[in-house]
Amino acid sequence: MLIEKIYLQNPVTIDQDEAIDSALNKLSQKKLNGFLVTDKEGKLAGILALQDIAGATVPKEFRDNPALALAMPKKGFFRERCRELRDKKVKDVMRKDFLKVNLNTNIMGVMADFLKNDLYIVPVVDNENKPIGLVTRNQVKKALIIGIERSYDLG
């Protein structure tokens, strides 16, 4: 099955120079878990997912050792980390290494990437690297439903 059969068109994008606090407010208002990030020319520059913003508040040593994070005795540490993050730009936090697909990509590649990287968003781009859509977990679910229903036809 090709991506063109299941992708969401007209994705919500955000500029890479927007402040993180503004991006987080937009995620909340639009009830999304992430945005496709574009540059000034409207080309895909990255992905900003909620986990990227949350991850920017957690020091690397805590990610490697969650028990250390649980034992954090310093009062107000989380607030300090959020304050440091507030004025950063989307491009400072966004994911730059990710799978992107086009309309002729097979769904199996997307499914494998979802499993490997625990992603929620896969951008669909045109020939100029401009976002035209996205694949979310709901589209993967849709592909599975269609695939299973069609498998009954094979007997």
Side-chain angles (χ1 to χ4, degrees), residues 4 17 29 31 37 55 59 70 72 90 92 102 104 112 117 119 121 137 145 151:
E4 70 180 346
D17 291 318
Q29 290 167 356
K31 296 181 170 81
V37 181
L70 289 171
M72 170 49 81
V90 166
D92 299 326
N102 62 44
N104 295 317
N117 295 310
L119 288 181
I121 301 170
R137 289 181 177 212
I145 290 168
S151 71

Side-chain angles (χ1 to χ4, degrees), residues 128-147:
E128 297 176 354
N129 198 39
K130 292 185 178 181
I132 59 170
L134 55 95
V135 178
T136 67
R137 289 181 177 212
N138 281 333
Q139 279 62 57
V140 171
K141 182 174 22 176
K142 179 180 176 182
L144 288 167
I145 290 168
I146 292 168

Side-chain angles (χ1 to χ4, degrees), residues 5-153:
K5 302 279 188 201
I6 60 157
Y7 80 109
L8 287 174
Q9 297 178 29
N10 304 315
V12 178
T13 62
I14 193 166
D15 188 271
Q16 66 181 353
D17 291 318
E18 189 157 337
I20 288 295
D21 65 338
S22 173
L24 191 55
N25 284 325
K26 286 181 180 178
L27 282 175
S28 181
Q29 290 167 356
K30 295 183 182 290
K31 296 181 170 81
L32 297 172
N33 288 318
F35 291 115
L36 301 184
V37 181
T38 55
D39 61 17
K40 295 292 182 209
E41 289 82 41
K43 294 184 179 186
L44 184 66
I47 296 174
L48 181 69
L50 180 59
Q51 63 261 45
D52 300 319
I53 299 171
T57 67
V58 180
K60 183 178 180 344
E61 57 272 12
F62 287 4
R63 281 183 247 149
D64 294 340
N65 185 355
L68 182 61
L70 289 171
M72 170 49 81
K74 184 177 177 186
K75 187 175 181 174
F77 182 75
F78 177 72
R79 191 172 309 161
E80 286 176 23
R81 296 293 294 190
C82 288
R83 191 175 303 123
E84 292 170 10
L85 179 61
R86 179 179 56 210
D87 297 323
K88 285 190 176 189
K89 303 283 185 203
V90 166
K91 64 184 171 189
D92 299 326
V93 178
M94 72 183 187
R95 192 176 305 209
K96 296 171 185 143
D97 183 24
F98 54 89
L99 176 70
K100 61 183 174 184
V101 298
N102 62 44
L103 295 176
N104 295 317
T105 302
N106 189 298
I107 187 65
M108 290 302 287
V110 172
M111 291 178 68
D113 193 60
F114 267 90
L115 293 170
K116 179 182 177 197
N117 295 310
D118 196 30
L119 288 181
Y120 293 86
I121 301 170
V122 174
V124 181
V125 297
D126 64 13
N127 292 338
E128 297 176 354
N129 198 39
K130 292 185 178 181
I132 59 170
L134 55 95
V135 178
T136 67
R137 289 181 177 212
N138 281 333
Q139 279 62 57
V140 171
K141 182 174 22 176
K142 179 180 176 182
L144 288 167
I145 290 168
I146 292 168
I148 288 172
E149 287 176 352
R150 287 187 181 161
S151 71
Y152 286 116
D153 295 339

